[in-house]
Amino acid sequence: MIAKTTTGSDFEGALTYGAGQRQGRGKEPGEAPLLVVANVIPGSPKEMAQDMQAVAARSKRVQKPVWHTVLSWKAGEVVSQAQKVAAAKRYCELMGAPIDRHQVVVYEHRDKKHAHVHIYLNRVPIDGGPALRTDNNFYRQPAITRQISQELGMDPLPERRRSLKALDPTKEAARQRVSQALAQLLRQTDRAGEQWLALQLQKLAIEIRYTHDKGGVLRGVSFEMDGVALRGQEVGYKGAQLREALAAPAGAAMEHKAEHEARPEVLPALPQTLPPQRPKPARRKGHER
């Protein structure tokens, strides 16, 4: 599995493309099933875009609130709809935008030989917290997609520009263990700062080394496990990313495993908690901050 992400400002254009309704592309709406809707009142792409734009407008700083990620599997790999839904939700969680805090719309496209889904996130959360950061996505996403593939029993796509050294099975095993340990620890609600993380990793026989600038700000990080040295970039967390993860509000992680086990193979497209109908515009304005 691989992920490609872009950001923008046009929710309506993004969702119209996701729904397969953009003119001139030769797609019918039925060819792009809607898999997930979270914290958005279901409706047409235009109506859902209006809901997302209303939340995005609460932030004066975020100029590009639209986060668009394409999750793709390799050609020939059989991926069930339940796996696609679980992968999309897990991706949002690991990137720092769990669906209980962010507006999310996911469409499945069937215009390629390989399975792929389009994830549309509102970077501005519904609870008024900090917006989803966009820096270092290039380095974070490979580790995240590998983790999702492992958790859901999928086949990971080979990485590009991978050195022979990175193919060492001993180093690969250490890299995966460190990456998984970090992901689990940083989702804990009682997580604290750098010393806490170092202590927790030490219990797992993982050593972490921090590099700070003259002002004491975390700038770099490296790891060692079973005699294997790893850079932060190799496990999906450079210094700035780890600093951000440790400073983020706790308690936002989803109960992924329980949710995945409880759902049937083919999941309903819309959560039961969504409102039955769209509120009137006048009332919407009073609800926003």
Side-chain angles (χ1 to χ4, degrees):
M1 180 198 308
I2 60 174
K4 294 184 179 180
T5 297
T6 58
T7 58
S9 59
D10 182 7
F11 280 106
E12 183 175 350
L15 294 184
T16 299
Y17 170 75
Q21 297 179 6
R22 181 174 293 180
Q23 294 181 354
R25 300 193 64 89
K27 295 181 181 178
E28 295 296 332
E31 295 178 345
L34 181 62
L35 298 187
V36 177
V37 176
N39 301 307
V40 180
I41 300 171
S44 67
K46 181 177 181 178
E47 291 170 334
M48 291 191 292
Q50 290 173 345
D51 282 341
M52 300 178 83
Q53 185 59 51
V55 172
R58 300 173 186 174
S59 172
K60 303 301 182 184
R61 298 181 59 185
V62 178
Q63 300 300 313
K64 293 184 177 182
V66 182
W67 177 296
H68 176 201
T69 292
V70 182
L71 284 185
S72 301
W73 289 263
K74 68 180 182 181
E77 183 176 3
V78 178
V79 186
S80 70
Q81 189 179 45
Q83 285 179 313
K84 294 170 185 174
V85 170
K89 291 182 176 181
R90 187 65 164 143
Y91 170 85
C92 295
E93 177 188 7
L94 294 177
M95 286 303 296
I99 65 171
D100 58 348
R101 295 185 61 240
H102 286 258
Q103 293 176 308
V104 181
V105 176
V106 181
Y107 288 99
E108 175 188 1
H109 280 200
R110 298 172 178 175
D111 57 333
K112 306 286 186 182
K113 292 183 178 180
H114 61 273
H116 62 291
V117 297
H118 289 251
I119 303 171
Y120 298 95
L121 275 166
N122 190 343
R123 292 179 52 214
V124 180
I126 61 175
D127 59 9
L132 178 63
R133 297 281 296 272
T134 60
D135 51 341
N136 295 318
N137 290 339
F138 178 82
Y139 298 106
R140 294 182 62 194
Q141 292 191 138
I144 286 175
T145 53
R146 282 194 299 268
Q147 180 175 338
I148 296 173
S149 296
Q150 293 166 359
E151 291 179 352
L152 301 181
M154 299 171 178
D155 297 330
L157 284 175
E159 296 180 45
R160 298 176 181 176
R161 299 186 299 276
R162 203 171 184 189
S163 67
L164 293 176
K165 185 177 179 180
L167 296 176
D168 181 346
T170 301
K171 182 170 184 177
E172 180 64 13
R175 186 199 61 73
Q176 291 183 6
R177 291 176 64 185
V178 172
S179 179
Q180 292 174 359
L182 284 171
Q184 293 173 0
L185 290 171
L186 293 174
R187 290 200 305 271
Q188 292 187 13
T189 57
D190 60 347
R191 68 181 183 275
E194 296 175 20
Q195 292 184 351
W196 172 86
L197 181 60
L199 179 60
Q200 302 307 311
L201 289 173
Q202 187 178 15
K203 296 177 182 179
L204 301 174
I206 300 173
E207 182 180 355
I208 184 171
R209 301 184 183 92
Y210 299 111
T211 301
H212 300 84
D213 62 17
K214 294 181 179 180
V217 177
L218 178 62
R219 297 299 183 186
V221 63
S222 61
F223 305 86
E224 183 173 335
M225 182 175 190
D226 297 333
V228 177
L230 296 163
R231 295 173 298 166
Q233 176 179 331
E234 293 178 290
V235 299
Y237 285 93
K238 299 178 71 175
Q241 296 167 292
L242 187 60
R243 183 176 71 244
E244 177 186 343
L246 289 171
M254 296 186 303
E255 295 297 332
H256 165 71
K257 291 185 178 180
E259 179 185 54
H260 180 61
E261 293 172 356
R263 290 184 179 272
E265 184 65 12
V266 178
L267 303 182
L270 306 179
Q272 295 180 356
T273 56
L274 287 172
Q277 61 183 3
R278 175 175 302 279
K280 296 181 179 179
R283 298 182 62 185
R284 180 202 307 273
K285 183 176 181 182
H287 178 69
E288 296 175 4
R289 296 180 180 179

